[in-house]
Amino acid sequence: MTETSTAGARLRGSIGVTGIVFLVIAAAAPLTSVCGALPLMIGLGNGAGAPAAYLVAAAVLLVFSVGYAAMSGHLDEAGAFYGYVRSGLGGSAGLGAAGLALLTYTAIQAGIYGLAASTVEGLVVHYGGPDLPWYIYAFALMTLVAVLGYRNIELGAKVLGVLLVVEIGIIVALSAAVLSQGGAHGIDTVSFTPSAFFDGSPGVALMFAIASFIGFEATAIYGEETRDPRRTIPRATYIAVLTIGALYAVASWAVVLAFGSDDVAAAAGDDPEALTFTAARMFLGETSADLMSILLVTSLFAALLAFHNAISRYGYALARDGVGHPALGHIHPRHGSPHKASLTQSLSAALVVGTFALVGADPVLQLFTWMSGLATVAILLLMTLTSVAIIVFFRRTGVDRRRWHTVVAPVLGTAGLLIITALVIDNFSTLVGGSAIVATTLLGTVAATFILGVAIAQRRLAAASVS
């Protein structure tokens, strides 16, 4: 059976709106956000106003999605943001954007391997198993992700779908239990008032909130593998952002009410890691809290698989455009997947995680914290570039004359993204553990990655003009 090369090659699949939404929400890892990011938003950010931060982040991304979805009807490439920026701002900026995308997903995936491995290690020991090094579990998860990522995207979507239904189920069950039982001191809407949102450090809360949406661009990444990309991608984008935003807002509100609007900040400050699990024990019982700990692992695994698929398709798209090794643009003859790009992604993940393991780094405080902080800044800059590219694309081509879709919404989205980016950079040292040296190094890495991508594109253009 002969492999398909890059020339005229297209990925194959018939995934629909539901499948893409599963892939996007899986990348967002809802249970991870509710158990991990939310307590930090409450304790370090704006306390009871954390649910409002999720709504603000969702509103900005929803406005951004208007132009993003409109442009998806004119692009159905596997490169998503890369294809958008290249079409709007040119090849040099596009390759810089591709660098940022690869950096974002490689970093966040590596960080999640650290968090997932640490979580599995803790569960194994808790239930009487051997106390093995965390990286053993990281490489075991990596192997399973590699097997699924090598296959057709529809298999991965089915696996993610099952995991996601159970994951969301426990979040909904907790929210319903708290709301039906009246929380600790009754039901109130303090969390959604302006005074609560602006209390404390709303910038820190927004920083964690926007990080909880990383991966939502997957709606466009799978354009070639959908049945009808012109309809599927816009629908999936809106549904994904609205679903994630609503789920986070309600779940975070329930956690706030579980302790009381006046007391939740203190509870989060005392023990952030246990905050959501404590709420589950109080309102669902001990068994449900234990189940939530196990489902946290499946949530992290779903995110790992979703990011693996995203990185593989970026590598494939770049190879097809002549950037990187041509073999990465090969398509599996039976699965219709970018299998060689998938294998390469598995190797890159092993390299990053293996490096942290060799130097004895902590899987959560260093690998997860540093890499998730790096990914947050990179994705915000990438989305801002994409938003500008959308404005330029429609202005230059005139293929869509709807003013709201092509001008107003993209401009508002750009403004919102710039504000959030400024807040994130201002609070970046907090996100990566308080070290100014680490913060400067990571921010420098983001800038250097974009500059390197632009430089490679310029060199290719110069070589082409000489020949």
Side-chain angles (χ1 to χ4, degrees), residues 76-398:
D76 62 349
E77 304 182 6
F81 283 155
Y82 158 58
Y84 280 65
V85 175
R86 183 187 60 185
S87 298
L89 302 179
S92 296
L95 200 53
L100 288 177
L102 289 171
L103 177 66
T104 296
Y105 296 121
T106 299
I108 193 65
Q109 186 196 47
I112 292 174
Y113 271 120
L115 179 59
S118 178
T119 303
V120 173
E121 179 188 14
L123 284 173
V124 171
V125 173
H126 175 73
Y127 287 107
D131 187 3
L132 301 175
W134 66 269
Y135 52 81
I136 298 295
Y137 299 107
F139 284 112
L141 290 168
M142 208 174 294
T143 301
L144 187 54
V145 168
V147 171
L148 289 173
Y150 187 89
R151 304 288 297 275
N152 186 285
I153 186 62
E154 293 173 50
L155 175 62
K158 290 175 181 177
V159 173
L160 291 177
V162 173
L163 297 179
L164 196 59
V165 167
V166 181
E167 175 184 352
I168 292 178
I170 194 70
I171 295 175
V172 172
L174 173 60
S175 302
V178 174
L179 293 174
S180 65
Q181 296 175 42
H185 308 297
I187 305 298
D188 64 62
T189 56
V190 171
S191 293
F192 302 105
T193 61
S195 60
F197 173 72
F198 288 107
D199 185 39
S201 302
V204 173
L206 275 175
M207 179 172 59
F208 284 106
I210 204 74
S212 299
F213 282 84
I214 290 180
F216 90 101
E217 76 153 295
T219 54
I221 287 177
Y222 303 106
E224 291 184 19
E225 296 162 276
T226 61
R227 288 188 285 268
D228 184 0
R230 290 181 181 271
R231 293 185 178 182
T232 300
I233 301 305
R235 290 178 183 175
T237 302
Y238 292 132
I239 292 173
V241 174
L242 287 169
T243 301
I244 295 171
L247 185 66
Y248 285 159
V250 174
S252 59
W253 181 40
V255 172
V256 169
L257 293 177
F259 297 90
S261 299
D262 295 331
D263 302 323
V264 69
D270 291 340
D271 192 357
E273 292 184 5
L275 185 74
T276 305
F277 297 104
T278 300
R281 286 189 178 90
M282 290 190 299
F283 290 90
L284 287 177
E286 189 70 31
T287 301
S288 294
D290 290 342
L291 176 61
M292 183 176 284
S293 298
I294 296 171
L295 291 177
L296 178 58
V297 175
T298 65
S299 171
L300 291 165
F301 176 77
L304 289 170
L305 181 55
F307 285 124
H308 175 95
N309 288 332
I311 299 168
S312 299
R313 279 147 186 80
Y314 264 104
Y316 161 79
L318 288 169
R320 191 173 62 181
D321 290 343
V323 181
H325 198 285
L328 299 184
H330 288 173
I331 297 173
H332 195 281
R334 181 157 58 91
H335 302 308
S337 62
H339 62 302
K340 292 190 175 180
S342 177
L343 290 173
T344 302
Q345 199 288 302
S346 297
L347 290 174
S348 69
L351 179 63
V352 175
V353 174
T355 300
F356 275 83
L358 284 173
V359 300
D362 186 277
V364 177
L365 297 180
Q366 292 172 315
L367 178 54
F368 175 71
T369 301
W370 293 0
M371 293 297 97
S372 59
L374 175 65
T376 300
V377 173
I379 196 66
L380 279 168
L381 292 176
L382 183 55
M383 285 193 291
T384 302
L385 272 174
T386 302
S387 197
V388 173
I390 290 168
I391 297 169
V392 174
F393 173 81
F394 284 120
R395 183 176 181 84
R396 187 182 71 245
T397 63

Side-chain angles (χ1 to χ4, degrees), residues 367-453:
L367 178 54
F368 175 71
T369 301
W370 293 0
M371 293 297 97
S372 59
L374 175 65
T376 300
V377 173
I379 196 66
L380 279 168
L381 292 176
L382 183 55
M383 285 193 291
T384 302
L385 272 174
T386 302
S387 197
V388 173
I390 290 168
I391 297 169
V392 174
F393 173 81
F394 284 120
R395 183 176 181 84
R396 187 182 71 245
T397 63
V399 294
D400 191 332
R401 299 291 184 180
R402 295 174 296 175
R403 188 167 180 81
W404 167 250
H405 291 75
T406 63
V407 179
V408 179
V411 168
L412 291 175
T414 302
L417 289 168
L418 286 172
I419 292 172
I420 293 177
T421 301
L423 288 170
V424 168
I425 292 176
D426 186 51
N427 294 277
F428 191 64
S429 61
T430 300
L431 183 60
V432 296
S435 171
I437 295 176
V438 171
T440 301
T441 301
L442 295 177
L443 290 174
T445 301
V446 174
T449 299
F450 179 75
I451 293 171
L452 179 62

